[in-house]
Amino acid sequence: MADLADTLNLEARSGLPEDLRWLAEKYPREDWQAHQNVHGMASMWLQRHAMFRELGAMLSDGIGNYREGRLDARSFANWFAPRLNYFLGNLDGHHNVEDHHYFPVFAKVEQRLKRGFEILDADHHLIHDALERNAETANAFLKALAESEDRQRFAADAYADENARLVAMLSRHLDDEEDLIIPLILDRGDRALGID
Ligand SMILES: [Fe+2]
Ligand SMILES: [Fe+2]
C-alpha cells in the first residue's frame, strides 16, 4: 500500500485532491444520469453504493430506536443481526472486487488518476479495520443483551459510536470513489475500459 499524506487520510480529507478532479469537473455529478455511457457499469456502481448508504443509515436509525426505547433489546437484536451481517459481508466483497478487478484496470487505462486509486485502496484498508471493530462491538452488544440493563446500555453506546464512525468513513469514501470512477467511465465508455 502506498504511503499517503495525512491530509489524504479518509477521516481527515473533505474530498478528492484538486489534481485528481479534472475529469470530475468535466462531468459534474448532476449531469451523470443524462449521459449515454451511464447505462451499464456506472449505473451498477451507483446502485450498489446507494444500497450501502441506505443500509448504513438504516442501521444507525435502528440503533437510535433501541437506545431511545422504541424497540426492546430482543426485538432489536432480531432485526439488527441479519442486516448487520449482510452489510458487513457485502461491503467487504464489494471492496475485494474493486481492489483486485476494477482498480488495476482503471489505473492502467488512465495513469493520471493512478494516485486516486491508491487513495481508494488505502481507504479500503481503513474501512476493513472499521468493519472488524464494528463486528466486535456488535457481538459484544448482542452478548450484553443477556446481562444487566447497565451493561446493555454501555455496549449499545460503544456500538453506536463505532457505527457512526464507520458510516462517516463510508460516506466520504463512496463520494470520492464515485467522483473518480464515474467520470472516467462516462468519458471512455464500458467497452474502451474493457469492462463491458
Ligand atoms: Fe471502494
Ligand atoms: Fe465502491
Side-chain angles (χ1 to χ4, degrees):
M1 182 175 48
D3 276 336
L4 292 180
D6 289 348
T7 49
L8 295 178
N9 178 284
L10 177 59
E11 294 185 275
R13 67 175 195 263
S14 55
L16 285 176
E18 272 316 303
D19 61 316
L20 292 171
R21 296 196 53 85
W22 45 276
L23 262 184
E25 267 149 32
K26 193 169 165 199
Y27 298 94
R29 196 169 269 269
E30 58 272 23
D31 298 344
W32 291 351
Q33 290 305 334
H35 196 286
Q36 57 174 3
N37 286 344
V38 80
H39 310 290
M41 182 58 59
S43 278
M44 197 209 74
W45 215 298
L46 291 169
Q47 278 165 18
R48 200 88 184 122
H49 281 187
M51 184 196 78
F52 289 128
R53 286 187 181 95
E54 208 175 296
L55 271 171
M58 194 192 270
L59 291 173
S60 303
D61 286 352
I63 192 106
N65 285 336
Y66 162 74
R67 291 167 92 195
E68 284 157 33
R70 284 192 287 271
L71 273 179
D72 68 69
R74 193 47 59 192
S75 343
F76 173 70
N78 290 339
W79 176 89
F80 174 73
R83 283 164 183 80
L84 178 78
N85 286 336
Y86 184 86
F87 178 63
L88 300 181
N90 277 272
L91 199 51
D92 222 23
H94 176 69
H95 288 171
N96 272 327
V97 176
E98 291 178 340
D99 284 338
H100 297 113
H101 186 57
Y102 293 114
F103 289 180
V105 174
F106 294 160
K108 214 168 164 188
V109 167
E110 186 40 272
Q111 301 269 336
R112 289 171 295 174
L113 296 181
K114 189 164 179 275
R115 200 165 62 98
F117 292 102
E118 289 168 1
I119 295 172
L120 298 177
D121 182 272
D123 289 354
H124 287 174
H125 288 274
L126 293 175
I127 293 172
H128 183 82
D129 294 345
L131 293 179
E132 287 189 344
R133 288 195 305 272
N134 201 281
E136 275 162 28
T137 48
N139 285 332
F141 166 67
L142 294 172
K143 266 199 206 115
L145 294 179
E147 298 169 21
S148 70
E149 192 94 338
D150 261 11
R151 288 283 311 141
Q152 287 182 27
R153 292 284 154 209
F154 181 81
D157 288 349
Y159 175 74
D161 287 348
E162 274 306 334
N163 196 56
R165 190 173 169 197
L166 172 65
V167 166
M169 289 166 92
L170 191 61
S171 150
R172 176 78 276 133
H173 173 73
L174 295 175
D175 282 0
D176 292 352
E177 188 172 282
E178 289 166 1
D179 282 348
L180 195 75
I181 286 172
I182 304 299
L184 181 63
I185 299 177
L186 298 183
D187 196 64
R188 311 294 160 86
D190 287 5
R191 186 161 301 161
L193 287 169
I195 49 171
D196 71 335

